[in-house]
Structures are given as structure tokens and as C-alpha cells.
Amino acid sequence: MSASDHAALSSQLSTPHVGGANVREVHDSFHGDLLEVSMGPHHPSTHGVFRMIVTLDGETIVKLKPVFGYLHRNHEKLGETVTYLGSMPYTDRLDYLSSMTNNWAYALAVEKLAGQAVPERAEYVRVILAELTRLLNHTCLAGFLMQDCGCSGTPLMYAFREREYILDLFESLSGSRMMCNYQRFGGCRVDPSADWLTGAQKLADRYGTFLDEFETLLTGNEIIIARTQGVGKLSPELAISAGVTGPMLRATGVNYDLRKVDAYGVYPRFDFRVPLGDHGDVYDRYMIRVLEMRESIKILQQALAGLPAGPIMDPKAKLRSFRPKAGEAYGRIEGPKGEIGFYLLSDGSPNPYRYRIRPPSFINLTVLEDMCLGHTVADAVIILGSVDIVLGEVDR
Amino acid sequence: MFKRDPEDCPLSQEVTPPPPAVTEAERDELRRQGILLTSLQELYTWGNSHSVWPLNFGLACCAIEMIAASMAKFDIARFGSEVFRPSPRQADLLIVSGTVTKKMAPQVIRLWNQMPEPKYCIAMGACAISGGPFKQGYNVLKGIDRFIPVDIYIPGCPPRPEALLHGLVQLQKKIQGFKLTGPDAPRHLRDDQPCNCPVPEFGEHDLEPPANPEVWTAPPAIVRKD
């Protein structure tokens, strides 16, 4: 950094406006040379090919500039060149940890566009799969976050052990572990068998035991509390004005869950609570996810108990030569990372005229600099981990 | 480009291997007596093939399956490759796990150049092989083998962790087949093979150059004869 750049940046510097016990004040009189560090795109803790250009004063972050686009795979442009159904496999690859909820959000948008009804059994199966995806995503996130905190290996091993059980269910239902491509416009592709439902029931029954074990290991751990409490605070006002959704928003104490607000699908029939945080720090974001998993198990139990008989696909649904009439639709659901939405503009042709994705982790990432200012560079790693990003969705 | 001086390195000279004086049965008998008889070449490839340390480097969806392969259920440690190194200087194996975009390609090739020989490359998944489902995209590189030499291709979108383990075993077999001398010697023991690949730059429309002619030639165009 040249001397003039340094002077210009130093004059912009002020005490970071975020609060919290661990935030360090930057004293102008002690300024040394500022150091620019480029973290990523190849860095083990950036959760993919994300790059942060961090300006450091000693070890304290005074400026953070994210650089995107290292995984820009042209999802939206490709979505305009393939048919409506042809985009379904591409949605799997957006947020590749939770393909089932991406499928659902996209199917919901097309169903709104075409005025397509969904049978009740399919709605229940969608809820079951969405909650399994939430369990999978939150478990993996907790594992990765602990990896970022420095407990290398063990929590992630436990998380991936449980992930395999859920993936076994996905594979036996859809034929693929990660890229399920399971939802269709007007229902689901295959009907889950009685064996599959028994397997899902078993998983729902014993997942609470795993969470107990996981929490015994982590939640009260003194090192994790010291590392995460008061770090990366996000105020509810900033979260709302930046459009942050999902567990990130609820950790700041804002009661906003699309499952309650939009009441899409058959969610109003289930009894569950929306856990809320107090402080909006990394620890709250971790706790919110653990509590959400417990609520997900409750929803799973209710959905499996109340699963009605009937067709899995609407018999009137048209799969071949599907051409919705001209118009537009926006379908959104509460994905594990926040509001995942698809905006579709149809001109009556087999392809969408415009295909736009609202990716939750990209929008949640916009407040990264505000959360990181005044923290050390080691804290930036866990703050990024707590945002829960997947680069397939951020860069699209 | 680094070229080895043949006079400095006796390994690179043509050496006719002596005929095997000890038969397989005699070696077995010696092993029973507690004497292990081996050749330098066997020892070298045996050690090399069973400690292939991958670079801790994920690109996209396949990276999750790569992590899954290193976890308890699939346990890549059974094959000696559990040590994922964060630095390319300490790694032997580059697993290109996911879509390589044109923005990312220079960094992938730079990482490859930073790895010391002997080094190997696995193209994991359809995207790394050819661009996969995103091949039509304007920003997607149509296969990492355009720029760096690839040893093993693992098809799938994403490949299962078992497929990655199978690819690793295939790589081990390939390493065990290496000769220390002669025309079958691997790249790092030969003088006529490059160690580094030129890093492309952003051009006006595409990467410049769009491919490395030393490792990749365009496949012949298929013309229908009517």
C-alpha cells in the first residue's frame, strides 16, 4: 500500500460502529502500517472459492472487501435457455448442501405461474424432505463452524456421520445422494415406500439423541463460548435493512420465519416454535440452528404421523410440452439458509423469459464487513463460518 | 521452464535393468525367513503410491463429496491420503473438485505450479472434465485438462465418495507402474517433460491462451459423411 493510500485510509478510519465485548478500539495514535491480506480464493476456511481482501491494523480488521465470482456458473442465463423442467437439476447445484429445498422453491414458483395444484400427500412429503434437509444443512454447518473455531475434525466427523444417514434416505428415494432432482410441478417424482417412511421415522426418533450428544460436546464448551460470544454482532436494524433472512436474522431477535409468515404448503397444520436469539453474535447463530433442528424433528414426527394416502402427482399435471401462459411469479420458501426464492417471467414459450434467483446466502453475506470490523482476523473466519454460505448459491 | 541437466542426474540416463536374478518363489522363501528383497524402483513406487497427500482445495459441489470421502464412513485414510495439506508446497495431489470458471482457472494453474514434483491431478466430476452441465455457460472452462495434465478422470455429478476412492486406487496403480528410468519414466524423472504450466490471463473474450498446447490438443472435428 502506498503512502498516499495509507493516509487516505487512515483518515477514513474511525472507531468501528459495531458493539460487543470483544470489539477492539482502533487508536489513531498507535497506528502502524496497515497490512492488506488476501484470504482466498484458495483458503480452507472460506467455504469454497470466496475471497476477502482484509485490511489489518496489527491483527484488527479495519476494512474488508469481499470478491465474488470465482464460481459464477451462469445459472440464470442457462435457466433461460432450457425448459422449465430442465432447470430443475440446475437448482440442485445452487446450494448443493440442501437440494431438496431449492427444488421445492423452484417448483413452487412454477406452480404459481401455471396455477398448478399439488396433492396433499406430496405437500406432506415435501415438508418431510425440507425438514430433513434442514437437519442436514444445520448439522453440517455446526461441524464446519467448529472446524473454523479450531476443533479440527471431531465435530465435523460426527456431523458427517449423521449426514450420511440422511443422504441414504435421499438416495433410496431419488436415486442420488446430493443432487436429488426430486420435485416436479404438481407433486413429487416417486412415491416414498412404506420402508422409506419407516427409515425416516427411525431417523426422526433417534436424531434427538445425536443432538444431545453433539450439544454435550459443544454447547457448554468453555473455549467455544470464549471464542464465539460477543463476536460478530449484528443489530436487528441492520439485518432488516440489509435483507438478511433465515437463522442469521432470527439470531438478532427478529421473529420472521416464512413457514409462519407465508404459511406455504401444509406448515400451518404443524405445531412448532420459532427460536429467537438475543445478541446476534456467532454463538446465537449456532444456538439458533441447534434449536431449529429440535423443532425440525417435531415437524418431522407430526408430518410422518399425519401423512395421508393418495396420489403423489396431480393427475392433471402436464410434464411434457409444458408451456405456462404469459405472466410472472415469485415463489419463496424458508430454506435452511434463509429465504430462497425464484422469480420467473413467462412469455408463453417452453423456456422462461427471465429466470432470477434470490439466493439467501449471498444476501446474508452483504453484512459481512459490518460484522467483522474491529475483530481479529481469526474472528473473521468464524464470522464467515456462522453466516453459512455456499458458493454455488452466492456466485450462481 | 526447469530442465534437468542429464549429467547431474544419473537417474535420467538410459540404464538397462539387469535380468532378475531372483525368482518370485525364491523371494517368497526369503520373506518366510525374514528377509525382504526388493528393488529401488519397487520401494520408490510403493512409498510414493501409499502416501499421496491431497491439497485441501475445494471448488464446488464435488468438494462436499471429497470431504465426505475423508470422513468416518468412507475414510480415505485407509489409502494413505487423509492428510489434506492446506499449502500446495506440501501436497502431492490436486483434486480439481468442481466447476473451474475462467476467473478461477489462473489460480488453479498457479496452485498446480506451486506443487512440487512428483505431483498428480485428479479431475473429479463432470465439470472438471468437460464443463459438465454448465458447459454452455460463458464463464465456464470446458475441462481443466486444457491447461494442466490430468492423471485420472472421475465421471459423475458429483461422483460418489466411493468413486473418488476408486480413482485414488487407480492413481496408486498408475504410480506403481512407473519405471525409474527409460521412456516409461514419469514426468518428474524425465528431461523432455515440462514441470510447470503457463498461467493464462484474462483476454478480451476468453483466457489467453485458451489452452496449453503442450498438454491438450483439440479433438478432431466429427464431420458427417453424407
Side-chain angles (χ1 to χ4, degrees):
Chain A
M1 189 179 276
S2 71
S4 60
D5 282 354
H6 179 250
L9 189 59
S10 298
S11 65
Q12 289 169 14
L13 288 177
S14 57
T15 311
H17 60 274
V18 281
N22 294 11
V23 171
R24 298 173 182 203
E25 284 196 13
V26 177
H27 297 287
D28 280 346
S29 51
F30 297 145
H31 267 171
D33 277 343
L34 294 178
L35 181 71
E36 256 190 17
V37 178
S38 170
M39 284 180 75
H42 161 239
H43 190 278
S45 73
T46 49
H47 297 249
V49 280
F50 176 60
R51 183 170 171 215
M52 299 185 279
I53 299 175
V54 192
T55 309
L56 298 173
D57 179 31
E59 225 187 330
T60 313
I61 296 173
V62 293
K63 196 179 171 193
L64 187 146
K65 189 179 160 226
V67 183
F68 302 105
Y70 288 97
L71 197 58
H72 175 51
R73 302 194 280 194
N74 334 115
H75 271 277
E76 291 175 357
K77 202 66 200 166
L78 285 176
E80 293 166 15
T81 60
V82 293
T83 58
Y84 283 91
L85 190 56
S87 279
M88 187 64 87
Y90 283 111
T91 62
D92 289 334
R93 287 153 182 85
L94 271 177
D95 171 3
Y96 33 79
L97 278 171
S98 42
S99 59
M100 286 289 192
T101 44
N102 298 346
N103 282 180
W104 188 5
Y106 179 59
L108 198 70
V110 180
E111 281 155 8
K112 268 190 181 174
L113 188 65
Q116 173 72 54
V118 182
E120 201 167 322
R121 186 175 170 85
E123 291 279 20
Y124 270 78
V125 170
R126 284 178 177 186
V127 168
I128 293 170
L129 292 170
E131 296 309 319
L132 282 174
T133 306
R134 205 179 309 278
L135 288 179
L136 185 157
N137 181 76
H138 286 358
T139 314
C140 287
L141 169 99
F144 283 128
L145 180 61
M146 293 307 143
Q147 178 105 336
D148 290 343
C149 284
C151 23
S152 177
T154 312
L156 193 61
M157 287 261 184
Y158 280 104
F160 267 67
R161 184 189 68 189
E162 297 307 308
R163 175 182 179 264
E164 291 297 336
Y165 293 124
I166 299 175
L167 287 190
D168 286 348
L169 284 178
F170 284 179
E171 189 183 6
S172 63
L173 187 62
S174 72
S176 177
R177 282 157 55 86
M178 280 170 73
M179 307 302 173
C180 298
N181 184 15
Y182 178 69
Q183 321 277 359
R184 289 289 178 269
F185 316 134
C188 302
R189 189 150 55 88
V190 271
D191 201 356
S193 63
D195 278 354
W196 190 90
L197 292 170
T198 320
Q201 182 69 51
K202 270 187 192 159
L203 188 120
D205 288 343
R206 49 159 281 279
Y207 213 85
T209 323
F210 158 69
L211 281 183
D212 293 342
E213 185 189 49
F214 204 60
E215 278 206 88
T216 316
L217 180 66
L218 299 173
T219 302
N221 187 305
E222 206 169 317
I223 302 171
I224 288 173
I225 289 175
R227 229 14 244 291
T228 55
Q229 283 192 350
V231 172
K233 277 200 170 183
L234 181 63
S235 68
E237 296 79 25
L238 180 63
I240 291 170
S241 63
V244 171
T245 49
M248 279 265 292
L249 178 66
R250 292 194 286 276
T252 64
V254 180
N255 189 355
Y256 184 78
D257 187 325
L258 284 182
R259 291 176 291 180
K260 294 278 190 196
V261 175
D262 263 17
Y264 57 91
V266 286
Y267 271 113
R269 300 184 196 178
F270 303 126
D271 169 38
F272 66 99
R273 294 183 306 130
V274 178
L276 296 179
D278 270 339
H279 309 284
D281 55 1
V282 174
Y283 189 77
D284 271 16
R285 276 172 231 144
Y286 160 73
M287 273 315 291
I288 286 284
R289 274 151 182 143
V290 172
L291 294 173
E292 270 192 13
M293 282 197 271
R294 298 211 182 263
E295 297 303 313
S296 285
I297 296 170
K298 273 205 263 174
I299 300 174
L300 264 179
Q301 299 278 17
Q302 294 170 48
L304 284 164
L307 182 68
I312 195 82
M313 274 293 287
D314 185 15
K316 279 179 271 177
K318 201 176 173 192
L319 282 182
R320 290 181 186 279
S321 59
F322 177 75
R323 285 162 182 263
K325 58 183 184 302
E328 59 184 309
Y330 179 65
R332 59 176 189 174
I333 67 164
E334 179 74 30
K337 294 180 169 61
E339 175 187 331
I340 165 102
F342 287 84
Y343 171 73
L344 293 165
L345 193 58
S346 165
D347 56 356
S349 67
N351 305 346
Y353 180 75
R354 180 80 173 96
Y355 169 80
R356 161 92 182 125
I357 305 156
R358 186 216 186 268
S361 47
F362 173 59
I363 293 168
N364 290 357
L365 201 54
T366 51
V367 289
L368 183 66
E369 184 177 15
D370 299 275
M371 290 193 289
C372 285
L373 287 184
H375 288 292
T376 59
V377 71
D379 288 339
V381 168
I382 60 168
I383 293 169
L384 180 69
S386 72
V387 177
D388 191 9
I389 58 165
V390 159
L391 260 290
E393 191 179 69
V394 172
D395 290 339
R396 306 195 292 295
Chain B
M1 202 174 295
F2 175 74
K3 289 277 187 197
R4 195 180 286 107
D5 185 3
E7 291 189 359
D8 285 355
C9 180
L11 278 182
S12 62
Q13 289 166 5
E14 288 285 335
V15 178
T16 319
V22 186
T23 63
E24 212 42 49
E26 287 167 333
R27 275 175 61 158
D28 280 353
E29 178 57 32
L30 282 172
R31 201 173 290 140
R32 272 194 288 279
Q33 304 290 331
I35 299 168
L36 185 67
L37 201 63
T38 183
S39 67
L40 182 62
Q41 179 172 295
E42 274 177 36
L43 197 64
Y44 181 84
T45 54
W46 172 78
N48 241 352
S49 65
H50 288 97
S51 61
V52 182
W53 290 1
L55 181 64
N56 191 349
F57 173 57
L59 279 171
C61 333
C62 292
I64 304 290
E65 290 295 63
M66 185 176 80
I67 298 167
S70 70
M71 290 297 152
K73 185 173 179 185
F74 299 101
D75 195 12
I76 205 169
R78 292 177 292 161
F79 306 96
S81 296
E82 79 278 19
V83 197
F84 279 82
R85 302 314 299 178
S87 162
R89 302 285 185 207
Q90 302 163 344
D92 307 314
L93 171 64
L94 177 69
I95 301 177
V96 184
S97 53
T99 318
V100 187
T101 59
K102 287 177 184 165
K103 188 169 181 178
M104 192 62 200
Q107 349 287 337
V108 177
I109 296 152
R110 201 166 284 131
L111 283 172
W112 171 255
N113 286 346
Q114 285 171 350
M115 286 165 63
E117 291 277 7
K119 57 188 174 184
Y120 314 100
C121 176
I122 285 181
M124 182 184 183
C127 291
I129 295 173
S130 69
F134 303 100
K135 186 167 184 156
Q136 308 301 326
Y138 50 84
N139 192 33
V140 176
L141 186 67
K142 288 149 191 71
I144 191 62
D145 56 358
R146 291 182 180 223
F147 287 105
I148 59 178
V150 175
D151 291 286
I152 302 288
Y153 297 86
I154 306 175
C157 189
R160 297 176 57 91
E162 290 100 323
L164 177 62
L165 297 181
H166 179 68
L168 185 67
V169 172
Q170 294 301 312
L171 180 69
Q172 291 181 342
K173 280 188 184 159
K174 185 174 178 178
I175 298 171
Q176 281 160 6
F178 282 165
K179 302 277 184 287
L180 287 189
T181 54
D184 293 336
R187 181 181 58 239
H188 63 278
L189 295 177
R190 288 172 61 167
D191 308 327
D192 55 338
Q193 296 278 322
C195 295
N196 284 356
C197 298
V199 179
E201 287 180 357
F202 272 130
E204 198 176 344
H205 301 294
D206 199 352
L207 291 171
E208 289 292 337
N212 178 5
E214 285 189 48
V215 296
W216 189 80
T217 45
I222 300 169
V223 182
R224 196 164 67 179
K225 289 169 193 157
D226 282 334

